[in-house]
Amino acid sequence: MPSAPSHPPRTRVLVVDDDQLLCAGLAAILRTTDDLEVVAAVHDGDQVLGAVDAHRPEVVLLDIRMPRLDGISVARLLATRPGAPRVVMMTTFDSEDTVLQALSAGAVGFLLKTADPRHIIDAVRSAAVGDSPLSPASARSLVRLVGPGSRAELLAEAGRRAELLTERERGVAARVGRGLTNTQIAREMHVGEATVKSHLAEVQRKWGCANRTQVAVLADRAGLTQEG
């Protein structure tokens, strides 16, 4: 008697969004496929860790802005766990700062909520197999920030640029790389905001950076974000 055809296991997905209608819509889109399984949907960041423990998803489709615990914070918490699911961030806006924060927090991909349903499905599939899905605008931003060259070359160049900075400038660059605002940097370094702005402007001049997002990328590459 012939055996029943076997089917490959489906990718388990957790959907997280504080807009319950949108959350249901995303789940419905993913359920139109044969290879994706929505194992749960929750509506705030403080529910994610429990849902991950209970349902063991391989991919988390995660909103950034939520009332009690935001997606960036959730991604950072998940990244500390062994065998953590792969996180694809979703938002209603797309900016270099947001993309950088999401990816620095451990997200593997970044999508707009207005993306075509096929793009959302493809993004989840890509994340599941180890790729990094990005919205087209996000991809363009990162290409501009990262530029050509191997990872070793990029790290070496970042290290050389870091040597150009004074101790105070390194401190500002490090904190920009960790996502702090000028006000937070001033508080940590016990200086005025005008001083922070002055140091940041000098960092941008020495590094040839057009904005603080590019400073953050270089600071991370140079290992400055691990400094005090």
Side-chain angles (χ1 to χ4, degrees):
M1 184 174 178
S3 59
S6 61
H7 298 284
R10 294 190 291 174
T11 297
R12 300 166 62 82
V13 184
L14 171 66
V15 180
V16 186
D17 199 295
D18 64 325
D19 184 328
Q20 296 192 26
L21 185 60
L22 179 58
C23 195
L26 291 169
I29 288 170
L30 299 178
R31 288 187 177 119
T32 62
T33 68
D34 294 328
D35 58 323
L36 303 177
E37 177 186 5
V38 178
V39 294
V42 297
H43 307 299
D44 210 323
D46 59 359
Q47 302 171 325
V48 173
L49 297 186
V52 168
D53 289 340
H55 301 284
R56 300 295 175 185
E58 289 135 324
V59 177
V60 177
L61 204 53
L62 181 62
D63 187 17
I64 285 187
R65 289 188 171 178
M66 291 178 287
R68 291 193 295 273
L69 188 64
D70 65 273
I72 300 289
S73 299
V74 173
R76 290 196 181 105
L77 290 172
L78 288 174
T80 65
R81 293 182 155 207
R86 297 177 67 79
V87 173
V88 177
M89 288 287 194
M90 296 200 73
T91 186
T92 53
F93 59 93
D94 193 355
S95 71
E96 288 182 356
D97 284 338
T98 306
V99 173
L100 181 65
Q101 288 178 39
L103 300 183
S104 296
V108 301
F110 190 94
L111 291 173
L112 292 178
K113 294 180 182 180
T114 53
D116 184 278
R118 290 170 297 180
H119 192 186
I120 295 171
I121 291 169
D122 289 343
V124 173
R125 287 171 172 161
S126 295
V129 299
D131 291 335
S132 298
L134 292 168
S135 71
S138 300
R140 288 194 296 272
S141 295
L142 290 179
V143 167
R144 288 196 300 271
L145 294 172
V146 174
S150 69
R151 177 168 175 77
E153 290 169 340
L154 293 170
L155 292 174
E157 175 59 22
R160 285 191 290 271
R161 294 195 191 191
E163 293 174 0
L164 300 173
L165 305 183
T166 66
E167 182 178 351
R168 285 283 188 170
E169 289 164 359
R170 286 175 70 96
V172 170
R175 289 167 174 83
V176 169
R178 296 206 302 268
L180 274 63
T181 65
N182 285 352
T183 301
Q184 292 169 326
I185 295 171
R187 188 179 303 122
E188 278 201 6
M189 297 184 68
H190 308 291
V191 297
E193 285 191 48
T195 300
V196 172
K197 291 178 182 178
S198 176
H199 287 321
L200 181 55
E202 189 63 12
V203 172
Q204 289 182 220
R205 185 190 67 79
K206 289 181 177 180
W207 283 2
C209 293
N211 53 50
R212 69 188 295 126
T213 304
Q214 293 179 358
V215 170
V217 170
L218 282 171
D220 184 65
R221 282 189 200 150
L224 299 186
T225 55
Q226 305 305 314
E227 298 182 1

